[in-house]
Amino acid sequence: MTMLQSLILGALQGVTELFPISSLGHSVILPALFGWNIDQSDPFFVSFLVLTHLATALVLFLFFWRDWKRIIAALAHSIAKRRIGDDRYAKLGWLLVVGTIPAGLIGLAFQKKLELLFAAPSAAAFFLMGNAVVLYACELHARRRLAKAPLRDDSAQSDGRIAALSYKKALGVGVAQSLALLPGFSRTGAALGGGLIAGLMHEDAARFSFLLATPIIAAAAVLKLPHLASVGGDALGVALAGALAAGIAAYLSVRFLTRYFKTKTLVPFAIYCALAGALAFFALH
């Protein structure tokens, strides 16, 4: 991997990890389309992905630092007191724990089989079209629900509205998020869609998705940290440059999307995934 390729893939990861268009899918498809001589099963490429994902997780943690400070403190207090009470940040913290479990268990159970898809650009392009279907279906569901019973509650803050979710619904969001283990399906899109189905508004579903992303992305990267031991010298510098690009792109992305979903929908992303997936699939064949 050259320095330019690292910067391009890093920036791409930072954007597509948070936009509901699949970072893993783009990382698998793009090198194949451009004819880059990159072995995506090589330990270096895995190390590169580890660093870019760590950078993205760090940016998310810092962006929502005030929330995480309250959530961590409330979780510690609820564990010490063995009760949640009416603390919305304690409830939000436990919702995040419940929502993290499905993807973690499925990822560990099928890790080896799923990694085989990393070197299958055609499959990633096909799944990207599937991601479009998921996004559009969730959007239609949200529109029908809001048409029947508008749920706008301006009296409560976003974290309060999220904390009103049941644990069963949070688990459902976590199960939906597990789709992203397939390259081409978006973690953000699946979690956001799951939030819409659970009854959240776009703004709150996006916020819950970004909070849920932080432990998921960080944990996945930490599990792969041993791969970094095999990278040194110039190669490590190339990977770190990609991580820096990913961090900058992730910050710009989350800043844009937290505003975007206050008034906008998933439809443009569904259209993009359908077109990009179809074009990539036919180009690869």
Side-chain angles (χ1 to χ4, degrees), residues 45-64:
F45 190 75
V46 176
S47 301
F48 169 79
L49 290 179
V50 167
L51 287 174
T52 55
H53 279 75
L54 278 175
T56 302
L58 179 61
V59 166
L60 282 175
F61 182 75
L62 293 176
F63 190 88
F64 293 104

PDB file of all heavy atoms in Angstrom, residues 45-64:
ATOM      1  N   PHE A  45      -2.883  -5.263   5.937  1.00  0.00           N
ATOM      2  CA  PHE A  45      -4.167  -4.626   5.656  1.00  0.00           C
ATOM      3  C   PHE A  45      -5.068  -4.693   6.883  1.00  0.00           C
ATOM      4  O   PHE A  45      -5.793  -3.734   7.184  1.00  0.00           O
ATOM      5  CB  PHE A  45      -4.853  -5.287   4.458  1.00  0.00           C
ATOM      6  CG  PHE A  45      -6.058  -4.534   3.974  1.00  0.00           C
ATOM      7  CD1 PHE A  45      -5.918  -3.364   3.247  1.00  0.00           C
ATOM      8  CD2 PHE A  45      -7.338  -4.998   4.247  1.00  0.00           C
ATOM      9  CE1 PHE A  45      -7.025  -2.656   2.802  1.00  0.00           C
ATOM     10  CE2 PHE A  45      -8.456  -4.301   3.805  1.00  0.00           C
ATOM     11  CZ  PHE A  45      -8.295  -3.127   3.078  1.00  0.00           C
ATOM     12  N   VAL A  46      -5.025  -5.811   7.588  1.00  0.00           N
ATOM     13  CA  VAL A  46      -5.800  -5.933   8.824  1.00  0.00           C
ATOM     14  C   VAL A  46      -5.321  -4.901   9.845  1.00  0.00           C
ATOM     15  O   VAL A  46      -6.117  -4.240  10.515  1.00  0.00           O
ATOM     16  CB  VAL A  46      -5.683  -7.354   9.410  1.00  0.00           C
ATOM     17  CG1 VAL A  46      -6.410  -7.448  10.745  1.00  0.00           C
ATOM     18  CG2 VAL A  46      -6.249  -8.379   8.434  1.00  0.00           C
ATOM     19  N   SER A  47      -4.008  -4.731   9.955  1.00  0.00           N
ATOM     20  CA  SER A  47      -3.446  -3.738  10.874  1.00  0.00           C
ATOM     21  C   SER A  47      -3.865  -2.329  10.486  1.00  0.00           C
ATOM     22  O   SER A  47      -4.163  -1.484  11.344  1.00  0.00           O
ATOM     23  CB  SER A  47      -1.913  -3.837  10.889  1.00  0.00           C
ATOM     24  OG  SER A  47      -1.490  -5.115  11.286  1.00  0.00           O
ATOM     25  N   PHE A  48      -3.877  -2.072   9.187  1.00  0.00           N
ATOM     26  CA  PHE A  48      -4.315  -0.772   8.681  1.00  0.00           C
ATOM     27  C   PHE A  48      -5.756  -0.494   9.104  1.00  0.00           C
ATOM     28  O   PHE A  48      -6.087   0.595   9.595  1.00  0.00           O
ATOM     29  CB  PHE A  48      -4.191  -0.750   7.154  1.00  0.00           C
ATOM     30  CG  PHE A  48      -4.851   0.434   6.500  1.00  0.00           C
ATOM     31  CD1 PHE A  48      -4.231   1.666   6.490  1.00  0.00           C
ATOM     32  CD2 PHE A  48      -6.091   0.303   5.903  1.00  0.00           C
ATOM     33  CE1 PHE A  48      -4.831   2.763   5.899  1.00  0.00           C
ATOM     34  CE2 PHE A  48      -6.705   1.388   5.306  1.00  0.00           C
ATOM     35  CZ  PHE A  48      -6.075   2.618   5.302  1.00  0.00           C
ATOM     36  N   LEU A  49      -6.638  -1.487   8.947  1.00  0.00           N
ATOM     37  CA  LEU A  49      -8.033  -1.328   9.344  1.00  0.00           C
ATOM     38  C   LEU A  49      -8.157  -1.118  10.857  1.00  0.00           C
ATOM     39  O   LEU A  49      -8.994  -0.340  11.314  1.00  0.00           O
ATOM     40  CB  LEU A  49      -8.851  -2.555   8.921  1.00  0.00           C
ATOM     41  CG  LEU A  49      -9.085  -2.739   7.420  1.00  0.00           C
ATOM     42  CD1 LEU A  49      -9.890  -4.008   7.170  1.00  0.00           C
ATOM     43  CD2 LEU A  49      -9.796  -1.543   6.826  1.00  0.00           C
ATOM     44  N   VAL A  50      -7.311  -1.805  11.624  1.00  0.00           N
ATOM     45  CA  VAL A  50      -7.319  -1.645  13.076  1.00  0.00           C
ATOM     46  C   VAL A  50      -7.054  -0.193  13.453  1.00  0.00           C
ATOM     47  O   VAL A  50      -7.778   0.410  14.255  1.00  0.00           O
ATOM     48  CB  VAL A  50      -6.265  -2.562  13.737  1.00  0.00           C
ATOM     49  CG1 VAL A  50      -6.057  -2.176  15.199  1.00  0.00           C
ATOM     50  CG2 VAL A  50      -6.674  -4.020  13.636  1.00  0.00           C
ATOM     51  N   LEU A  51      -6.019   0.391  12.867  1.00  0.00           N
ATOM     52  CA  LEU A  51      -5.649   1.762  13.204  1.00  0.00           C
ATOM     53  C   LEU A  51      -6.707   2.767  12.763  1.00  0.00           C
ATOM     54  O   LEU A  51      -7.014   3.721  13.485  1.00  0.00           O
ATOM     55  CB  LEU A  51      -4.296   2.100  12.571  1.00  0.00           C
ATOM     56  CG  LEU A  51      -3.082   1.446  13.227  1.00  0.00           C
ATOM     57  CD1 LEU A  51      -1.815   1.720  12.436  1.00  0.00           C
ATOM     58  CD2 LEU A  51      -2.914   1.945  14.667  1.00  0.00           C
ATOM     59  N   THR A  52      -7.279   2.570  11.580  1.00  0.00           N
ATOM     60  CA  THR A  52      -8.303   3.508  11.117  1.00  0.00           C
ATOM     61  C   THR A  52      -9.563   3.411  11.977  1.00  0.00           C
ATOM     62  O   THR A  52     -10.201   4.435  12.263  1.00  0.00           O
ATOM     63  CB  THR A  52      -8.665   3.262   9.637  1.00  0.00           C
ATOM     64  OG1 THR A  52      -9.066   1.894   9.459  1.00  0.00           O
ATOM     65  CG2 THR A  52      -7.479   3.564   8.731  1.00  0.00           C
ATOM     66  N   HIS A  53      -9.900   2.210  12.403  1.00  0.00           N
ATOM     67  CA  HIS A  53     -11.077   2.049  13.264  1.00  0.00           C
ATOM     68  C   HIS A  53     -10.820   2.622  14.664  1.00  0.00           C
ATOM     69  O   HIS A  53     -11.726   3.222  15.263  1.00  0.00           O
ATOM     70  CB  HIS A  53     -11.476   0.577  13.362  1.00  0.00           C
ATOM     71  CG  HIS A  53     -12.268   0.102  12.186  1.00  0.00           C
ATOM     72  ND1 HIS A  53     -11.689  -0.156  10.970  1.00  0.00           N
ATOM     73  CD2 HIS A  53     -13.599  -0.146  12.013  1.00  0.00           C
ATOM     74  CE1 HIS A  53     -12.612  -0.538  10.109  1.00  0.00           C
ATOM     75  NE2 HIS A  53     -13.776  -0.542  10.716  1.00  0.00           N
ATOM     76  N   LEU A  54      -9.616   2.440  15.175  1.00  0.00           N
ATOM     77  CA  LEU A  54      -9.293   3.050  16.469  1.00  0.00           C
ATOM     78  C   LEU A  54      -9.396   4.567  16.402  1.00  0.00           C
ATOM     79  O   LEU A  54      -9.891   5.212  17.332  1.00  0.00           O
ATOM     80  CB  LEU A  54      -7.881   2.640  16.903  1.00  0.00           C
ATOM     81  CG  LEU A  54      -7.726   1.280  17.575  1.00  0.00           C
ATOM     82  CD1 LEU A  54      -6.252   0.987  17.832  1.00  0.00           C
ATOM     83  CD2 LEU A  54      -8.502   1.234  18.900  1.00  0.00           C
ATOM     84  N   ALA A  55      -8.925   5.148  15.303  1.00  0.00           N
ATOM     85  CA  ALA A  55      -9.000   6.596  15.127  1.00  0.00           C
ATOM     86  C   ALA A  55     -10.454   7.057  15.097  1.00  0.00           C
ATOM     87  O   ALA A  55     -10.816   8.074  15.718  1.00  0.00           O
ATOM     88  CB  ALA A  55      -8.281   7.000  13.842  1.00  0.00           C
ATOM     89  N   THR A  56     -11.307   6.315  14.392  1.00  0.00           N
ATOM     90  CA  THR A  56     -12.723   6.670  14.309  1.00  0.00           C
ATOM     91  C   THR A  56     -13.395   6.570  15.676  1.00  0.00           C
ATOM     92  O   THR A  56     -14.170   7.447  16.066  1.00  0.00           O
ATOM     93  CB  THR A  56     -13.440   5.748  13.308  1.00  0.00           C
ATOM     94  OG1 THR A  56     -12.814   5.864  12.033  1.00  0.00           O
ATOM     95  CG2 THR A  56     -14.910   6.126  13.170  1.00  0.00           C
ATOM     96  N   ALA A  57     -13.098   5.498  16.408  1.00  0.00           N
ATOM     97  CA  ALA A  57     -13.682   5.322  17.742  1.00  0.00           C
ATOM     98  C   ALA A  57     -13.246   6.430  18.681  1.00  0.00           C
ATOM     99  O   ALA A  57     -14.044   6.942  19.490  1.00  0.00           O
ATOM    100  CB  ALA A  57     -13.288   3.960  18.307  1.00  0.00           C
ATOM    101  N   LEU A  58     -11.978   6.836  18.607  1.00  0.00           N
ATOM    102  CA  LEU A  58     -11.473   7.903  19.456  1.00  0.00           C
ATOM    103  C   LEU A  58     -12.171   9.219  19.150  1.00  0.00           C
ATOM    104  O   LEU A  58     -12.545   9.970  20.068  1.00  0.00           O
ATOM    105  CB  LEU A  58      -9.960   8.052  19.255  1.00  0.00           C
ATOM    106  CG  LEU A  58      -9.276   9.162  20.073  1.00  0.00           C
ATOM    107  CD1 LEU A  58      -9.455   8.909  21.560  1.00  0.00           C
ATOM    108  CD2 LEU A  58      -7.788   9.243  19.727  1.00  0.00           C
ATOM    109  N   VAL A  59     -12.377   9.499  17.871  1.00  0.00           N
ATOM    110  CA  VAL A  59     -13.069  10.730  17.480  1.00  0.00           C
ATOM    111  C   VAL A  59     -14.498  10.727  18.010  1.00  0.00           C
ATOM    112  O   VAL A  59     -14.974  11.738  18.547  1.00  0.00           O
ATOM    113  CB  VAL A  59     -13.061  10.880  15.941  1.00  0.00           C
ATOM    114  CG1 VAL A  59     -14.063  11.948  15.495  1.00  0.00           C
ATOM    115  CG2 VAL A  59     -11.662  11.259  15.465  1.00  0.00           C
ATOM    116  N   LEU A  60     -15.198   9.602  17.881  1.00  0.00           N
ATOM    117  CA  LEU A  60     -16.564   9.517  18.392  1.00  0.00           C
ATOM    118  C   LEU A  60     -16.610   9.721  19.906  1.00  0.00           C
ATOM    119  O   LEU A  60     -17.494  10.416  20.428  1.00  0.00           O
ATOM    120  CB  LEU A  60     -17.165   8.145  18.042  1.00  0.00           C
ATOM    121  CG  LEU A  60     -17.652   7.946  16.606  1.00  0.00           C
ATOM    122  CD1 LEU A  60     -18.096   6.504  16.404  1.00  0.00           C
ATOM    123  CD2 LEU A  60     -18.785   8.899  16.281  1.00  0.00           C
ATOM    124  N   PHE A  61     -15.655   9.108  20.600  1.00  0.00           N
ATOM    125  CA  PHE A  61     -15.614   9.247  22.060  1.00  0.00           C
ATOM    126  C   PHE A  61     -15.401  10.702  22.464  1.00  0.00           C
ATOM    127  O   PHE A  61     -16.073  11.219  23.367  1.00  0.00           O
ATOM    128  CB  PHE A  61     -14.507   8.364  22.634  1.00  0.00           C
ATOM    129  CG  PHE A  61     -14.423   8.396  24.141  1.00  0.00           C
ATOM    130  CD1 PHE A  61     -15.358   7.720  24.907  1.00  0.00           C
ATOM    131  CD2 PHE A  61     -13.420   9.106  24.780  1.00  0.00           C
ATOM    132  CE1 PHE A  61     -15.292   7.746  26.299  1.00  0.00           C
ATOM    133  CE2 PHE A  61     -13.348   9.143  26.162  1.00  0.00           C
ATOM    134  CZ  PHE A  61     -14.282   8.464  26.922  1.00  0.00           C
ATOM    135  N   LEU A  62     -14.487  11.377  21.789  1.00  0.00           N
ATOM    136  CA  LEU A  62     -14.207  12.770  22.119  1.00  0.00           C
ATOM    137  C   LEU A  62     -15.356  13.696  21.715  1.00  0.00           C
ATOM    138  O   LEU A  62     -15.661  14.668  22.410  1.00  0.00           O
ATOM    139  CB  LEU A  62     -12.905  13.218  21.438  1.00  0.00           C
ATOM    140  CG  LEU A  62     -11.630  12.534  21.943  1.00  0.00           C
ATOM    141  CD1 LEU A  62     -10.428  12.986  21.121  1.00  0.00           C
ATOM    142  CD2 LEU A  62     -11.400  12.835  23.420  1.00  0.00           C
ATOM    143  N   PHE A  63     -15.998  13.389  20.582  1.00  0.00           N
ATOM    144  CA  PHE A  63     -17.109  14.227  20.111  1.00  0.00           C
ATOM    145  C   PHE A  63     -18.267  14.184  21.104  1.00  0.00           C
ATOM    146  O   PHE A  63     -18.928  15.202  21.356  1.00  0.00           O
ATOM    147  CB  PHE A  63     -17.573  13.759  18.733  1.00  0.00           C
ATOM    148  CG  PHE A  63     -18.538  14.692  18.070  1.00  0.00           C
ATOM    149  CD1 PHE A  63     -18.083  15.744  17.290  1.00  0.00           C
ATOM    150  CD2 PHE A  63     -19.917  14.519  18.221  1.00  0.00           C
ATOM    151  CE1 PHE A  63     -18.968  16.617  16.679  1.00  0.00           C
ATOM    152  CE2 PHE A  63     -20.817  15.388  17.612  1.00  0.00           C
ATOM    153  CZ  PHE A  63     -20.336  16.442  16.834  1.00  0.00           C
ATOM    154  N   PHE A  64     -18.531  12.995  21.666  1.00  0.00           N
ATOM    155  CA  PHE A  64     -19.623  12.835  22.630  1.00  0.00           C
ATOM    156  C   PHE A  64     -19.072  12.714  24.060  1.00  0.00           C
ATOM    157  O   PHE A  64     -19.664  12.037  24.899  1.00  0.00           O
ATOM    158  CB  PHE A  64     -20.450  11.589  22.290  1.00  0.00           C
ATOM    159  CG  PHE A  64     -21.215  11.702  20.998  1.00  0.00           C
ATOM    160  CD1 PHE A  64     -20.775  11.045  19.861  1.00  0.00           C
ATOM    161  CD2 PHE A  64     -22.365  12.466  20.921  1.00  0.00           C
ATOM    162  CE1 PHE A  64     -21.478  11.145  18.664  1.00  0.00           C
ATOM    163  CE2 PHE A  64     -23.080  12.577  19.737  1.00  0.00           C
ATOM    164  CZ  PHE A  64     -22.626  11.921  18.596  1.00  0.00           C
TER     165      PHE A  64
END
